[in-house]
Amino acid sequence: MNTNRLFTYLISFLIFNFISSLSAQNNQLRAYTLEDGLSQSQVYDIIQDEIGYLWLGTQGGGLCRFNGDEFKIWNENDGLQSNYIHSLAFVNDSLFIGTKNGLSIKTKNRFTNLEGPRINKICLIEDKIYLATNIGIYEYRKSLGLIKINLNTKINTSIINDIVFDGRLFWIATNKGLWKLNDIKQNAGIIERHSAYDFTAAIFHNNKVFAAAFNQGILVLNTNAKTYGNHWIQKPVRVTNISVHNDGELWFSTDNDGITIIDSEKYREKKKINRKNGLAVSHTRKSILDRQSNIWIATSGGGFYKYFQNNFVHYDKNTGLKGNRVYAVHNAKNGIWASNSEVGLVQIDSLGIHNIPQEEQLSEVKIKTITSDISGNIWAGTEGKGILFKKISQVDSVFTDTIQNIEADKDPIITTDTIVKTVIKNHIIDTDKGLPSNWIRAIEVIDNTIWVASYSAGISRFTYDSEKKRILSLKKFSGKNGINDLHIRDMKQDSTGKIWYATQNGHLGYIKKNKVTHLGNVLKQATAISSILFHKNTIYIGTAGRGIWWSDLDGDIAFKKLKGRKKPYSDNIYQIIFDDKDNLWAGSERGVDRIELNQSNDIVDIFHFGRNDGFLGIETCLNAVTKDEQGNLWFGAIYGLTKYQPTGTTKATIKPSLYFEEVEVAYRSVDSIRLSVWANSNHILKLTPNQTELSFSYKTIDLDHPNDVEYRWRLNNSEWSPWSSDHRQNLAGLAYGSHAFTAQSRNYRWEESEPIAFQFFIDSPIYEKGWFQLAVLAMIILFIGGYALSYVRRVKQKNKEERNRLEMKNHLLSLEQKALRLQMNPHFIFNALNGIKAMGTSNPNRMNNTINTFATLLRETLYNSRKDYITLDQEIQTLKHYVEIEQLMASKPFTYDIVVDSDLDPEEILIPPMLIQPFVENAVRHGILKGSRDGELKVQFHTTEEFLHCTVLDNGQGIFQSQKAKTKTDHQSMALTVTRERLESISGKDSLNIREIMQNGNSVAGTEIAFKIPLQTDY
C-alpha cells in the first residue's frame, strides 16, 4: 500500500478518535454562566455550607448562592462591603467574606462590614480566624474587630496568599517567600523563611506541605521526617489554589492551563481539565468536592463548572455535528445514522463523526425517520420531499504507482494497490414516482418490502427497483381499507409480522395479510399515541400527556397504565426503548427515565437523567432513539445526540439532610439563636401569649436534582402532611402551651431524611394561668359568699318580719274566727231564751231539759272555739246538742240522723270546729221549718285516702227558694259565706257543692250540701 495514503488514513483515524474522545470527555463538564443567572463570570472562590448551598464570590458581581438550579445574589446595594470578593469561609452560622475593601460578615440577611486591606484568604485555625491580606496577617475577634498581627517586617508588608497549619507549625505563603512560624501572635518567633519565591497557595495533606511557587512549580515538604527536604514538582506552574479530591488526588488550579491533577504519592500527572476538554477559559481559581461527589470548578471569565462522572457521551455542534437538533437516529450495519437539524445526515462509527453531503433537492428539509434494510442501505423519510434512499455499495479501486529504478539499464518498478471504496448513490422517491404522500412519518423495511406511514395519506407498501428507479407492487391502505384515523404518528412490526400503527387521535390498529384491523381509541382518552414498542410478547405505547401503557398480545388487547410507587418524571412520552437489562427507557421534555419493571409490569424503581446528570440534550425528539450492537442507547434531542454507555457502576445517592433555614415569629426572623443547634435538641423557644403566629423555612439541597426534593411536616403528634415541594409553613392562631414542629424531606430516589424538630412554648395570658384563675375564683367565691351571707341575713330578717307580721295577722284572723265562732246566732239564742221562758209556765220539765242542753251547747261552743282542730266525735256531739235545742224550740217536729262511714274511729279524725254547724242551722231554719212536710235532717260522713267528705240533707223547701226570702243582712247568709271561704282556704276552690233535690223532675224535695276537707288524724 502506498505510504502516503497509509499515513493519511492513520491521521484521519487519530483525528476522528480524538473527536470521539473529546466528546466523551466533554460530557463530564456542565458550565454555569451569566445565561444561567450567575451575576459575574469571574468566580474567585466557591464553598459549600452545612445545608448544601454553593456560595460563590465574584469579581464585580458580589455574592451568589446556588441551589443547583437558581441563583440568589447579594451586592453592595444589599449591604455588602464590596462586589469584589476574593475569599469565603463559614464560621458557625456566619459567612465571612473577604473583599478588596476588608471583611464582610453575613449573618442571616444582615451584613457587618469591617474596613481593611484586601483579604486573599480566610483561615480558621484552632478556633481562631486569621485573614491573609495584601499587607500582612490580621486576626478577627468578635469584640475587637480586625487586629493587625505584628510579625517580621517582611511578613507585615507582604502579600499573604495562604496560611497552613500542620499541627505544630504555621506555614505562611507570601509573595516574598514561604515562612515557617511556631505561632501567629504579636512578636512571635520566626523560625525561618524556607524559600524566597512568590508562593500563591499551600495545603497540608498526608503529613506533607504542598506549596505552590508561582513560576517554579510545587514545593513538597515532609513534616514527619527529620528534615523537611526540598523536593520540587516542576509542573504545574502559575497555581492559584490547591485542593485534594478522590482519595489523594491533588487538584492544582492555574491561571493559564486549567486544572492539573497529580497523584499525591508518586507526583505523577493523571489528568488535565482545560480548554482542550471542555473549559471555556484557562484561568481557574479553585475546585471543591461537594457532598454528592461532584467537583465544582471556579474560573475567571468562564463562570463555574460541575465536573462529574456519568455514563453519557454527548455530541453537538461543538463536537462534530452539523446542527444541534437530532430528529431521527438509527443503528445500521455501518454505524449510527442521525438526521441533523435541516442540514442532512451524519454517520458515527469507530472513526468518529462523518458528515454526509446533503442532496441539493433536500436542502433545508427535516428528516424525521431513518431505517435500513438487510443490505445496509439507508431509508430516510422527510417532511415534504418524500423518501431519501441511499444505496450503499462497496467497489474495488486499483491504484498504480511507478518507482524509477536507480539502475539505468533496468525497467522502472511498478506497484499496484487495491482499496475497497464505499460508494453511496442517492435516490429520491416521491409522489412523482407514485408515492401517495411526500410527508413521511415512519418507515419499516421487511426483507425487500418497504412500509411507509405518511402524515395524512395512510400507509403504503411497495418494493423499489433501484436500477429502474421506480416503485413496484404498490398497495395503499387508507380510510377505504379501514384505517379510520389517517394522522399516523408511529408504525412498528411485531414478532408475528403484523404492522401496527398509532395515530394522533389515540387510535391503534394493525395490518396483516392485506387486512386492516382498526382497534379504535384503545385508551378511551383524547390523547395522541406517540410511540409503539414490542418486547417479550407485550406491546407498549407512549402517549402525549398520559404516560406509558401496555397490553399482552395474547388474547384481547386491553391496555393498562404503567404504575408503581414512583411515577415517570413526565407523562409526555416521546421515546421508549428497552436496554439489554430489560429496563424500559422513556424520553420526554425533561430528559430520560430508566424504569425498572417486575414480571407483572409494575414499576419497581425509576432513575431520572437530566442535564445535571449528563443528559445534555434535555428535550428528546419524537421516536429518535436506537440501540447499537454493544448495548449503547442513542437518544436524539433538541440540543444534540446523547449516547448512554451501560456500566456496572453508577453514582451512588446519599441520604438527604434537612435543615431549618429560618424561623419567624409574628413575621420577624428569630436571629438570636443558631437553628442548627436548636434542631432536634432540648432547647425550647419561649414565646409570649400574643406570639401565636410562626413560620418555618426548611431546606434540603440536592445539587444534582434540585427540583425533585419533596417535603412533609406535622405539628405535635398530628398526621404528616402530604409530600409536596413546599418548604415553608405558616402557622397561625396556635394554642397556648408546648408545641413541636417536625419536618422531613426526600430526594428524587425517595430516600427520606431524618426528621428535624423545633420545640417552642407559647405562654398563656395571665387570665388563663392556673394560679390567676384560682385567685379569681377564690375572690368570686368570697364575693358571692359574702353577698350570699348578706342576702341570707336580709332574707332571714325579712322573713322574720314577715313571719311576725303573718303571725300577727294569723293571730288576728284566729281571734276573728274564734270571735265569729263565738257569735252564736243571736236570733237563735234569743229564740232559745224566749222558748225557755214560755216553757216555764206551760212545761217546766221541758224547760229544764232545754236549759241543760242549751248550757251544754254553749259550753262546748266556748271550749271548741279555743282550738284549731277538734275530733269528729266532738263535732258530732256538738251538732247533736244543737239539733236537740232546735227540736225543743221548733214549731213542728222533725227528725235527724248523723251517720259516719269510715274505717277510722271518729275520735281519730280531726276537723276545724264550727265548720258544719252553719250548714245544719241553715237546713233546719230555712229548709225544714219552712217546709210543708215533716222534717227530716240527715248528716253523713265518709272518708277516702285523702279527704273527709260531709253531706247535709234536708227535705225542706229548697235553699234557692229560701234565699229569695232572706235579707242581705241575715246572719245565716253571713255565716254561710264565711264557712264557704273557710272551706276554700282549707280544700281549695269548688270544694263546696250545694244543690236542690228534685222530685219527679219538676218539684223541690229538699237540699243537699256536700263538701270535703283534707283528711287529718291525731296520729
Side-chain angles (χ1 to χ4, degrees):
M1 181 181 290
N2 184 277
T3 306
N4 292 329
R5 286 198 301 274
L6 179 61
F7 179 75
T8 303
Y9 177 83
L10 290 174
I11 291 297
S12 300
F13 178 82
L14 292 173
I15 290 173
F16 282 120
N17 274 282
F18 172 76
I19 293 174
S20 178
S21 173
L22 178 64
S23 64
Q25 292 173 347
N26 183 61
N27 76 313
Q28 295 178 343
L29 287 171
R30 160 76 164 97
Y32 294 89
T33 63
L34 300 177
E35 295 178 355
D36 299 290
L38 184 64
S39 62
Q40 228 285 341
S41 61
Q42 297 183 67
V43 180
Y44 267 43
D45 200 2
I46 179 171
I47 61 172
Q48 187 176 31
D49 64 16
E50 63 177 3
I51 297 177
Y53 287 110
L54 291 181
W55 294 82
L56 304 108
T58 71
Q59 288 292 293
L63 177 69
C64 298
R65 189 186 72 182
F66 183 58
N67 67 355
D69 181 52
E70 297 176 333
F71 291 90
K72 186 172 183 180
I73 300 170
W74 292 266
N75 53 38
E76 294 174 0
N77 295 330
D78 303 300
L80 184 65
Q81 174 125 320
S82 171
N83 289 336
Y84 292 83
I85 299 172
H86 295 268
S87 181
L88 299 171
F90 268 97
V91 181
N92 296 327
D93 61 342
S94 297
L95 174 63
F96 282 61
I97 307 164
T99 75
K100 73 172 186 178
N101 295 330
L103 180 67
S104 282
I105 303 174
K106 182 181 183 296
T107 304
K108 294 188 180 296
N109 287 318
R110 185 182 69 252
F111 287 93
T112 301
N113 296 318
L114 301 171
E115 292 187 3
R118 191 182 88 178
I119 298 173
N120 302 313
K121 191 72 176 287
I122 302 172
C123 304
L124 181 62
I125 302 174
E126 293 186 324
D127 296 328
K128 293 183 178 180
I129 302 171
Y130 296 107
L131 307 176
T133 77
N134 267 12
I135 50 172
I137 299 175
Y138 281 73
E139 182 182 353
Y140 168 77
R141 295 180 186 176
K142 189 173 183 180
S143 58
L144 301 175
L146 298 183
I147 302 173
K148 177 71 177 287
I149 300 177
N150 289 317
L151 300 168
N152 179 276
T153 304
K154 292 183 178 181
I155 296 178
N156 293 340
T157 57
S158 296
I159 298 174
I160 312 298
N161 293 312
D162 213 340
I163 303 173
V164 171
F165 181 61
D166 66 9
R168 294 185 304 111
L169 301 174
F170 293 86
W171 300 84
I172 315 298
T174 76
N175 65 329
K176 297 178 182 179
L178 180 66
W179 298 82
K180 181 172 59 176
L181 285 72
N182 61 358
D183 202 354
I184 298 179
K185 62 181 181 180
Q186 216 70 358
N187 302 317
I190 299 174
I191 295 178
E192 65 176 300
R193 181 170 65 176
H194 197 283
S195 179
Y197 298 115
D198 179 6
F199 284 88
T200 55
I203 193 172
F204 177 68
H205 171 66
N206 198 20
N207 295 319
K208 297 174 184 177
V209 172
F210 296 85
F214 191 65
N215 289 312
Q216 282 70 36
I218 311 300
L219 175 62
V220 182
L221 304 173
N222 195 345
T223 61
N224 65 346
K226 292 183 179 179
T227 60
Y228 290 104
N230 197 16
H231 180 78
W232 284 87
I233 304 174
Q234 297 302 318
K235 290 186 178 180
V237 294
R238 303 178 67 88
V239 172
T240 57
N241 180 266
I242 309 173
S243 304
V244 179
H245 307 315
N246 301 334
D247 298 326
E249 290 181 351
L250 292 170
W251 287 51
F252 294 92
S253 301
T254 71
D255 70 356
N256 67 338
D257 195 23
I259 290 179
T260 300
I261 303 171
I262 292 179
D263 187 311
S264 63
E265 295 295 330
K266 299 179 181 179
Y267 311 139
R268 176 177 53 87
E269 182 179 311
K270 297 179 67 174
K271 189 176 183 181
K272 279 192 175 183
I273 303 174
N274 51 27
R275 297 186 68 173
K276 293 180 180 180
N277 47 22
L279 290 180
V281 295
S282 298
H283 189 167
T284 57
R285 299 298 303 179
K286 187 178 181 181
S287 66
I288 65 166
L289 179 69
D290 71 12
R291 299 174 189 171
Q292 296 171 264
S293 301
N294 302 308
I295 294 176
W296 299 84
I297 302 170
T299 74
S300 178
F304 69 105
Y305 288 79
K306 179 183 179 183
Y307 178 86
F308 53 96
Q309 300 292 335
N310 61 78
N311 301 97
F312 292 97
V313 178
H314 187 65
Y315 303 87
D316 57 19
K317 192 173 182 179
N318 295 326
T319 54
L321 296 184
K322 293 188 287 185
N324 282 337
R325 292 179 181 264
V326 177
Y327 296 119
V329 60
H330 173 70
N331 177 48
K333 281 185 176 181
N334 49 7
I336 299 296
W337 288 75
S339 71
N340 209 190
S341 295
E342 289 84 27
V343 289
L345 299 174
V346 295
Q347 181 192 6
I348 303 175
D349 56 20
S350 60
L351 298 179
I353 300 175
H354 308 278
N355 289 312
I356 307 300
Q358 176 75 303
E359 284 287 311
E360 184 177 351
Q361 186 177 348
L362 301 180
S363 177
E364 301 298 323
V365 174
K366 294 180 182 178
I367 295 176
K368 298 302 290 287
T369 180
I370 305 173
T371 189
S372 61
D373 57 27
I374 56 177
S375 301
N377 302 315
I378 299 299
W379 296 79
T382 71
E383 285 191 340
K385 295 294 183 178
I387 298 173
L388 171 64
F389 170 52
K390 287 183 172 290
K391 185 174 177 59
I392 302 174
S393 58
Q394 308 289 332
V395 297
D396 292 337
S397 296
V398 179
F399 294 88
T400 302
D401 285 343
T402 301
I403 301 177
Q404 297 292 332
N405 199 322
I406 58 176
E407 298 181 11
D409 58 344
K410 293 185 179 181
D411 295 331
I413 300 172
I414 300 175
T415 61
T416 301
D417 264 344
T418 301
I419 297 177
V420 177
K421 182 180 179 181
T422 300
V423 177
I424 300 177
K425 189 173 183 180
N426 296 327
H427 297 255
I428 302 297
I429 306 171
D430 54 16
T431 54
D432 293 337
K433 293 183 179 180
L435 196 66
S437 174
N438 286 334
W439 295 81
I440 310 302
R441 179 70 81 173
I443 302 176
E444 285 286 314
V445 180
I446 304 168
D447 296 329
N448 292 320
T449 302
I450 295 90
W451 292 80
V452 179
S454 66
Y455 277 74
S456 59
I459 297 174
S460 304
R461 185 194 67 197
F462 61 88
T463 59
Y464 183 71
D465 188 338
S466 61
E467 298 297 329
K468 297 182 180 180
K469 299 182 180 181
R470 65 177 183 174
I471 293 174
L472 304 176
S473 305
L474 178 63
K475 172 69 175 176
K476 301 177 182 179
F477 300 90
S478 61
K480 295 179 180 179
N481 307 92
I483 301 179
N484 296 334
D485 183 9
L486 298 179
H487 297 282
I488 298 173
R489 289 176 68 89
D490 197 16
M491 180 180 66
K492 292 286 192 309
Q493 182 191 26
D494 68 10
S495 59
T496 65
K498 294 177 182 177
I499 301 296
W500 291 76
Y501 60 88
T503 75
Q504 176 71 31
N505 298 311
H507 290 222
L508 191 70
Y510 61 85
I511 303 172
K512 186 174 183 181
K513 295 181 180 180
N514 293 330
K515 181 182 178 181
V516 175
T517 301
H518 192 80
L519 301 177
N521 192 338
V522 292
L523 301 183
K524 311 300 181 187
Q525 298 181 20
T527 182
I529 299 176
S530 303
S531 304
I532 304 174
L533 178 65
F534 297 97
H535 183 71
K536 293 183 177 180
N537 207 38
T538 301
I539 180 173
Y540 297 84
I541 57 175
T543 68
R546 299 290 183 177
I548 303 173
W549 299 69
W550 65 276
S551 173
D552 289 328
L553 290 173
D554 296 331
D556 295 334
I557 301 296
F559 281 93
K560 303 175 184 176
K561 190 173 183 179
L562 278 186
K563 293 181 178 180
R565 189 172 64 97
K566 299 175 70 175
K567 297 191 304 181
Y569 272 57
S570 174
D571 282 334
N572 291 316
I573 308 300
Y574 300 151
Q575 308 167 350
I576 48 177
I577 192 171
F578 274 93
D579 63 18
D580 289 342
K581 295 182 180 180
D582 285 337
N583 296 316
L584 177 63
W585 290 72
S588 69
E589 80 282 4
R590 298 183 63 185
V592 292
D593 293 337
R594 188 181 74 198
I595 305 171
E596 295 181 2
L597 303 174
N598 60 18
Q599 296 297 323
S600 302
N601 264 333
D602 297 321
I603 297 176
V604 177
D605 206 349
I606 294 179
F607 292 80
H608 177 70
F609 300 93
R611 191 172 184 183
N612 287 343
D613 307 290
F615 191 84
L616 304 183
I618 303 301
E619 183 174 348
T620 58
C621 291
L622 183 64
N623 294 321
V625 62
T626 191
K627 181 172 66 175
D628 63 23
E629 287 78 7
Q630 291 75 38
N632 302 319
L633 302 181
W634 297 76
F635 301 95
I638 63 173
Y639 293 110
L641 177 66
T642 299
K643 178 175 71 171
Y644 176 78
Q645 299 171 305
T647 61
T649 60
T650 57
K651 181 180 175 180
T653 59
I654 62 171
K655 187 175 182 178
S657 297
L658 183 63
Y659 297 88
F660 283 113
E661 283 195 311
E662 192 170 41
V663 175
E664 293 181 353
V665 177
Y667 306 105
R668 296 185 63 181
S669 179
V670 181
D671 295 330
S672 59
I673 62 175
R674 287 184 59 189
L675 296 176
S676 59
V677 174
W678 280 56
N680 291 335
S681 70
N682 294 326
H683 295 293
I684 299 175
L685 181 64
K686 304 289 186 179
L687 302 175
T688 61
N690 60 340
Q691 293 176 321
T692 59
E693 295 183 358
L694 276 80
S695 296
F696 293 91
S697 295
Y698 39 91
K699 192 73 172 176
T700 288
I701 298 299
D702 187 334
L703 295 174
D704 289 334
H705 302 90
N707 297 317
D708 299 323
V709 179
E710 293 183 325
Y711 306 87
R712 63 178 182 175
W713 64 276
R714 67 179 180 183
L715 185 64
N716 302 326
N717 293 319
S718 61
E719 294 293 326
W720 285 101
S721 68
W723 290 102
S724 73
S725 59
D726 294 333
H727 53 90
R728 180 183 177 90
Q729 289 301 324
N730 299 319
L731 306 176
L734 293 170
Y736 306 118
S738 298
H739 298 281
F741 178 85
T742 308
Q744 191 176 27
S745 67
R746 68 181 183 187
N747 61 15
Y748 82 109
R749 299 283 298 119
W750 284 23
E751 295 171 311
E752 297 178 358
S753 71
E754 293 295 332
I756 58 171
F758 187 92
Q759 299 187 63
F760 58 97
F761 178 83
I762 302 177
D763 197 8
S764 58
I766 189 171
Y767 58 81
E768 288 199 7
K769 293 183 181 295
W771 64 265
F772 181 81
Q773 293 176 343
L774 289 175
V776 171
L777 181 61
M779 291 177 63
I780 293 173
I781 291 174
L782 289 174
F783 176 78
I784 293 176
Y787 179 81
L789 182 61
S790 174
Y791 177 77
V792 168
R793 287 177 177 175
R794 291 198 306 270
V795 169
K796 284 184 176 180
Q797 181 65 28
K798 185 177 180 181
N799 290 342
K800 183 178 180 181
E801 295 175 354
E802 183 67 16
R803 186 170 58 252
N804 293 336
R805 187 183 66 81
L806 291 176
E807 287 178 353
M808 179 62 69
K809 183 176 179 181
N810 289 338
H811 182 65
L812 293 176
L813 288 175
S814 177
L815 292 177
E816 181 181 350
Q817 289 181 359
K818 290 179 180 179
L820 187 61
R821 289 197 293 267
L822 288 174
Q823 291 177 4
M824 184 68 69
N825 190 340
H827 185 65
F828 166 73
I829 297 174
F830 177 77
N831 290 336
L833 292 176
N834 285 334
I836 292 171
K837 178 180 178 182
M839 292 176 190
T841 58
S842 61
N843 191 350
N845 292 331
R846 185 178 179 186
M847 180 189 68
N848 290 333
N849 292 333
T850 302
I851 290 173
N852 291 333
T853 302
F854 184 69
T856 300
L857 176 61
L858 290 177
R859 185 173 60 250
E860 289 175 347
T861 300
L862 182 62
Y863 177 77
N864 292 341
S865 66
R866 295 179 176 272
K867 296 181 178 180
D868 293 326
Y869 290 96
I870 60 173
T871 65
L872 179 59
D873 182 68
Q874 291 175 325
E875 181 69 9
I876 292 174
Q877 293 301 323
T878 302
L879 287 176
K880 287 181 178 181
H881 292 148
Y882 169 75
V883 173
E884 289 175 357
I885 292 295
E886 288 289 359
Q887 285 179 328
L888 291 174
M889 295 186 301
S891 58
K892 67 177 186 177
F894 65 90
T895 60
Y896 76 94
D897 185 19
I898 299 176
V899 179
V900 179
D901 181 13
S902 175
D903 295 334
L904 300 174
D905 191 287
E907 291 185 356
E908 298 174 348
I909 299 172
L910 301 177
I911 66 172
M914 297 298 290
L915 184 65
I916 303 171
Q917 187 272 336
F919 298 115
V920 173
E921 180 180 351
N922 188 72
V924 172
R925 290 283 180 176
H926 302 283
I928 293 174
L929 297 182
K930 292 184 179 180
S932 58
R933 294 179 290 270
D934 291 340
E936 293 181 0
L937 175 65
K938 192 172 184 180
V939 181
Q940 298 176 339
F941 296 97
H942 74 276
T943 60
T944 60
E945 292 184 358
E946 297 181 359
F947 294 96
L948 170 65
H949 296 267
C950 178
T951 305
V952 178
L953 299 98
D954 68 74
N955 61 348
Q957 65 175 352
I959 189 171
F960 301 122
Q961 184 64 31
S962 174
Q963 287 178 345
K964 292 178 181 180
K966 292 181 182 179
T967 62
K968 293 182 180 181
T969 58
D970 186 86
H971 165 80
Q972 203 61 25
S973 297
M974 293 179 60
L976 192 58
T977 300
V978 172
T979 304
R980 182 190 294 271
E981 293 176 356
R982 289 183 66 194
L983 282 174
E984 289 181 353
S985 65
I986 294 172
S987 302
K989 192 175 181 181
D990 299 330
S991 58
L992 175 64
N993 185 21
I994 302 175
R995 71 181 184 89
E996 290 183 339
I997 302 172
M998 306 301 294
Q999 186 178 20
N1000 297 326
N1002 53 8
S1003 60
V1004 179
T1007 302
E1008 179 186 275
I1009 298 175
F1011 62 88
K1012 64 181 181 179
I1013 61 175
L1015 179 63
Q1016 295 190 47
T1017 61
D1018 61 354
Y1019 60 86

